[in-house]
């Protein structure tokens, strides 16, 4: 696919998030027929070693697996890469240094999504993996935009948030709704004006139940909007 | 991806059907963690010329576009190909003759789905594109298994079924539910024991409303089950 803006999607982390990214990319694209949609290639390799385990428990380095996917997307003729996995962005600099293709950064997309929601400053709740929190992927970027980041305490991360993320990866999506909705609610009770769903499994769980009564920045939708802006630049 | 059974998915026809196929492939796979899921590559090129227009209105031949995708999936290291578009199977023989990779046939998968539903003979309703009906992709295969195929009359195809398929391709999925559900109901009123949703846009529309009160063979799910059986053979 060499004659158009073809989007490369490095997915599989997890696979349901990657597939849902493709669905949201399609549904958010203005289109009247197949041929109006964005050509894209999804490289869905769920064998990439666990990103949180790699960062905080000495697990296998995912970077060689991530680079294998990027080489596949380059060979397919893609012009940019979107990675619907927040934790994988801990290896962003290594990936970006190794490819000439621009990689759309999911945290920048999430920050833009907050603006789109009309949230221009103040405390923001952050639901993410322990790896994403430990690597501080969100904290500096959001603080530079005038936000303070509130995350669940470590005990709640272990007891509630990480098990809920695992439920989604095990296809038990509906069961993830209640714990994630309650964790988000507790961040709002602590003063958050909005909650960033900063792990792409989390919006899948949150979508399985009633809409939350406060603003949330869904990082799957945020990255899809960034990809559409890349593929179909205005003007 | 050369060291596992990697599934190639020739999608984009339409793109929402391809993305939903990836989602259903994931949700139907027995898995407890990311690494249990099936490595796969989705080649989503929505620019493939319209299949029904090619077959019945002298439109551009889609085969060169289909072959471009197959070459991309071969290069990515895939071991088999699934095509979540029924009408594209009108070019099945040409594609299969040109690649060493096995292509899973969506009509065989649909026939297996009828068996899974306990339907072993008798009249079957068929909702599909005009192209699929004109190419008789289902009729011979289902008749050889003891089924008679009932399709909507030509006037209803033009007035109801084809416009509903176009609604899905234009992201107006909910609006497609009522016309498709009513067309399926009319086939059951004519004696069909089950209805094959023989265009991958149709289960998307049908999923947007209440479940139908008769058996339906969803060709997205049927092809996903065939792909899982290929990737994870029993025993």
């Amino acid at each position: 696919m060499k004659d158009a803006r073809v989007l490369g999607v490095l997915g599989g982390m997890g696979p349901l998030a990657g597939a849902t990214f493709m669905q949201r990319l399609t549904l958010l694209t203005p289109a009247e027929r197949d041929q109006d949609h964005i050509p894209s290639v999804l490289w869905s390799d769920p064998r990439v070693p666990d990103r949180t385990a790699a960062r905080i428990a000495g697990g296998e380095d995912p970077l060689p697996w991530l680079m294998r996917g990027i080489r596949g997307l380059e060979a397919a003729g893609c012009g940019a890469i979107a990675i619907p996995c927040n934790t994988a962005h801990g290896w962003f600099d290594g990936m970006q240094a190794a490819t000439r293709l621009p990689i759309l950064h999911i945290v920048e997309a999430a920050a833009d999504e907050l603006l789109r929601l009309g949230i221009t400053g103040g405390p923001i709740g952050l639901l993410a993996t322990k790896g994403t929190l430990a690597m501080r992927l969100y904290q500096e970027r959001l603080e530079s935009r005038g936000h303070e980041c509130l995350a669940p305490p470590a005990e709640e991360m272990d007891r509630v948030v990480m098990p809920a993320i695992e439920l989604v990866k095990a296809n038990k999506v509906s069961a993830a709704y209640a714990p994630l909705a309650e964790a988000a609610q507790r961040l709002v009770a602590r003063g958050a004006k909005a909650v960033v769903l900063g792990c792409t499994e989390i919006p899948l769980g949150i979508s399985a139940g009633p809409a939350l009564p406060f603003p949330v920045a869904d990082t799957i939708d945020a990255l899809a909007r960034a990809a559409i802006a890349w593929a179909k630049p205005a003007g």
Side-chain angles (χ1 to χ4, degrees), chain A:
Chain A
M1 295 200 222
K2 295 197 167 62
D3 45 351
R5 293 198 149 208
V6 178
L7 179 69
V9 182
L10 188 58
M13 304 173 282
L16 193 61
T20 304
F21 173 83
M22 298 301 290
Q23 209 174 44
R24 296 299 297 161
L25 176 76
T26 305
L27 288 169
L28 292 171
T29 297
E32 290 300 324
R33 53 190 194 124
D34 282 358
Q35 292 74 16
D36 295 334
H37 287 279
I38 299 170
S40 48
V41 178
L42 167 66
W43 187 278
S44 180
D45 193 347
R47 298 168 301 174
V48 176
D50 186 272
R51 284 66 65 195
T52 289
R55 186 54 66 175
I56 65 181
E60 183 183 350
D61 184 6
L63 187 57
W65 292 79
L66 297 169
M67 284 312 307
R68 192 192 300 199
I70 288 174
R71 295 290 175 247
L73 294 170
E74 288 173 344
C78 298
I81 292 176
I83 309 176
C85 170
N86 286 267
T87 319
H89 284 69
W91 288 264
F92 182 90
D93 292 345
M95 290 187 284
Q96 186 60 87
T99 179
R100 63 179 172 77
L101 301 183
I103 305 176
L104 310 177
H105 200 301
I106 201 167
V107 179
E108 300 294 336
D112 290 346
E113 185 79 356
L114 287 172
L115 285 180
R116 209 182 61 83
L117 294 168
I119 315 282
T120 55
I124 294 293
L126 176 58
L127 287 183
T129 64
K130 289 169 69 175
T132 292
L133 295 178
M135 292 188 285
R136 299 186 60 75
L137 295 181
Y138 273 89
Q139 289 90 328
E140 273 84 21
R141 281 186 180 79
L142 289 189
E143 282 162 15
S144 77
R145 295 202 189 199
H147 298 294
E148 176 197 356
C149 272
L150 306 176
E155 178 277 330
E156 188 179 343
M157 287 298 302
D158 286 332
R159 182 177 49 82
V160 177
V161 179
M162 292 303 295
I165 292 169
E166 301 302 325
L167 284 172
V168 174
K169 291 177 182 289
N171 290 337
K172 301 180 180 79
V173 181
S174 299
Y177 175 77
L180 292 171
E182 288 161 19
Q185 180 61 60
R186 279 189 287 272
L187 295 172
V188 170
R190 285 168 56 196
K193 297 168 68 179
V195 177
V196 172
L197 310 181
C199 161
T200 50
E201 268 68 44
I202 294 176
L204 307 181
I206 290 291
S207 298
L212 299 178
F214 43 82
V216 295
D218 174 336
T219 51
I220 291 180
D221 277 16
L223 188 62
R225 289 184 208 283
I228 293 164
W230 170 80
K232 298 185 179 258

